[in-house]
Amino acid sequence: MSSIVIVGAGPGLGAAVARRFGREGFRAGLIARDGGRLDALVRGLAEHGVTARGFRADVRRPEELARALAQAADALGTVEVLQYSPVPHRDFMRPVLDTGHRDLAGPIEFSVYGPVAAVQQVLPGMRRLGRGTILFVNGGTAAVPHVDRAGTSVAFAAESAYGHLLHERLAPEGIHVAQLVIPGVITAGHARKDPDVLAQTLWTLHRERHGFRHYADDLDS
Ligand SMILES: NC(=O)c1ccc[n+]([C@@H]2O[C@H](COP(=O)([O-])OP(=O)(O)OC[C@H]3O[C@@H](n4cnc5c(N)ncnc54)[C@H](OP(=O)(O)O)[C@@H]3O)[C@@H](O)[C@H]2O)c1
């Protein structure tokens, strides 16, 4: 049985992706900070027949994140799919002229150090398997920087560059790296941005394995 780990798993997209991959027989590892919420997610997934386990970590603490991923692999088997999709803190979205260098530390820890730590932790297992998928999920500022959201704009650009480099470097090894950019807001009932629809899009990226950047919706939406 294969395993997916969702780094930054909550009741929205994280749960929807766990259900979608779970339907295909994947076991799901869920990483977030709040143990109570993780327990509730695991219970909810069990009702859908999905085997899931929660692991507490703050993505801004790389060692803690690596430890949680190692625990997930021990409990669920080698991580075959890694999704990095924690929801960014509101403080990361300040106007550019109100953003000093210290204000960028959080966004960079969150969107660069976290992904690098996560990838370094799971990559040896994927290489041993000879296959794997790494999915980065970002908001629209990953593609078009926004003057009022300087932190995520700057940090998502760096995360995108890292993902793109991995895409090129790992494709020959059968490890597919892709990014889903979600412009605007995830909205229940929306034709393209409902969590279940986005989860289906991510499943398709995992299955079809072509190209790095994909858009969930038009950029001006
Ligand atoms: N929501 C939107 O409208 C929207 C729009 C565009 C793009 N996105 C993208 O969609 C993804 C999130 O989907 P969602 O909004 O539906 O969220 P979700 O999957 O429902 O929840 C995401 C989880 O991330 C966790 N998280 C936040 N900071 C963290 C940290 N420092 N360390 C570990 N976990 C952390 C939170 O759990 P804890 O608080 O327990 O840690 C939260 O429950 C992200 O990639 C985001 O960029 C969202």
Side-chain angles (χ1 to χ4, degrees):
M1 201 186 261
S2 303
S3 300
I4 179 170
V5 173
I6 299 157
V7 177
L13 184 65
V17 168
R19 285 193 301 272
R20 182 64 190 90
F21 280 73
R23 226 162 77 203
E24 306 291 339
F26 276 72
R27 289 181 289 235
L30 312 172
I31 296 181
R33 293 164 299 181
D34 187 302
R37 281 201 292 262
L38 282 172
D39 290 344
L41 277 181
V42 168
R43 281 196 300 275
L45 287 165
E47 287 169 16
H48 285 84
V50 179
T51 302
R53 289 275 302 271
F55 303 91
R56 283 179 55 193
D58 184 338
V59 301
R60 292 177 61 182
R61 299 181 179 188
E63 289 79 12
E64 200 173 289
L65 176 55
R67 206 160 40 241
L69 282 159
Q71 288 166 350
D74 283 347
L76 302 171
T78 304
V79 179
E80 188 179 330
V81 179
L82 172 75
Q83 173 170 302
Y84 193 88
S85 57
V87 68
H89 198 278
R90 195 178 294 273
D91 283 355
F92 300 170
M93 296 173 227
R94 292 201 185 127
V96 63
L97 297 184
D98 299 341
T99 300
H101 67 279
R102 286 195 180 83
D103 298 313
L104 289 177
I108 297 289
E109 285 171 359
F110 189 89
S111 297
V112 185
Y113 295 173
V116 174
V119 168
Q120 297 238 314
Q121 180 62 38
V122 300
L123 197 52
M126 290 182 179
R127 286 179 127 168
R128 274 196 302 276
L129 281 179
R131 64 177 188 277
T133 301
I134 298 172
L135 300 167
F136 294 97
V137 181
N138 295 100
T141 54
V144 182
H146 192 293
V147 285
D148 290 328
R149 295 177 211 150
T152 54
S153 296
V154 169
F156 282 176
E159 182 181 355
S160 302
Y162 178 62
H164 207 142
L165 295 172
L166 291 174
H167 172 83
E168 285 184 17
R169 177 62 184 81
L170 293 171
E173 298 187 33
I175 297 171
H176 180 56
V177 183
Q179 178 188 45
L180 181 64
V181 174
I182 307 172
V185 179
I186 295 177
T187 309
H190 189 282
R192 296 176 73 183
K193 292 189 286 189
D194 177 273
D196 288 325
V197 175
L198 293 166
Q200 173 60 34
T201 303
L202 286 154
W203 172 254
T204 304
L205 297 187
H206 164 65
R207 293 292 291 175
E208 295 188 350
R209 313 180 81 69
H210 62 79
F212 172 65
R213 176 172 283 178
H214 301 264
Y215 294 92
D217 200 2
D218 301 333
L219 268 178
D220 56 4
S221 62

